[in-house]
Amino acid sequence: MVRTARRGGDAWSVTVAAQDAGGSVRFYSVPVVADRRGASFTVTGAPGVVAAPARATVPKSPYGVSVPDGDLSGAVKEFLAAYLCGAGEVDRYLAPGLALAPVSPAPYAALSVQQVSAVEGVAAGEGVPADGTAVHVVARVEARDDDGRWPLAYELILKARSSRWEVAAVEAGAAQGGGVR
């Protein structure tokens, strides 16, 4: 989804981008209606091709600290492998109080971490810092299934506890800075 515009009542126009096999991108405006809660949508007519919307200025990513291979990046990789590939139990990687179900059925057979970056400088250190230390990271991964390889990004908050890193939150927003186009 690229843009939405309310047309009145529960009616919306949703602009989406679609890429064809040759790599060309086209934009379509699709008429939809939403239920009262905004939880489900129904397409009410045929889409129309529209001009591409103007590009927004992208702010500089706050994730400027490169995270080396080690405890933190390993915890991120193991959590995402459990979450996306069904490789172990997700709960093992979660901080107390966080409940998060894995994606089910597991959509990917394997993944590799391409890059982990953090906001806080402590993320670049070796080992695990004092309990309660929190870091905000973005993990760029390549997930694989029978259809190919998929670039994905996840924003996570991890906290140190008992000499290990635990996932304290999975941020709802899309990962920022340097997205693939």
Side-chain angles (χ1 to χ4, degrees):
M1 179 169 48
V2 177
R3 176 174 51 198
T4 61
R6 187 174 223 146
R7 295 295 181 203
D10 294 334
W12 293 79
S13 174
V14 178
T15 302
V16 297
Q19 185 173 17
D20 66 24
S24 296
V25 177
R26 289 209 177 159
F27 296 86
Y28 297 87
S29 178
V30 182
V32 299
V33 293
D35 68 5
R36 287 183 178 262
R37 296 180 301 133
S40 63
F41 300 86
T42 302
V43 174
T44 59
V49 174
V50 296
R55 285 185 178 249
T57 302
V58 178
K60 183 180 181 204
S61 173
Y63 298 99
V65 177
S66 180
V67 177
D69 288 340
D71 294 324
L72 179 57
S73 60
V76 168
K77 179 182 180 180
E78 291 171 11
F79 163 72
L80 290 172
Y83 184 65
L84 298 170
C85 303
E89 295 294 323
V90 170
D91 292 346
R92 183 251 180 270
Y93 304 101
L94 303 181
L98 180 62
L100 181 68
V103 179
S104 181
Y108 304 107
L111 68 81
S112 61
V113 175
Q114 305 297 304
Q115 179 182 28
V116 179
S117 301
V119 174
E120 299 83 5
V122 69
E126 293 183 21
V128 180
D131 283 5
T133 301
V135 294
H136 296 76
V137 302
V138 63
R140 299 191 190 292
V141 301
E142 181 183 85
R144 293 182 293 284
D145 64 13
D146 291 340
D147 294 323
R149 298 168 185 251
W150 308 97
L152 305 171
Y154 290 88
E155 287 183 293
L156 309 169
I157 298 174
L158 288 95
K159 285 190 177 177
R161 185 173 75 94
S162 300
S163 299
R164 68 184 200 125
W165 287 104
E166 297 175 326
V167 175
V170 177
E171 300 288 82
Q176 300 176 11
V180 177
R181 181 176 170 102

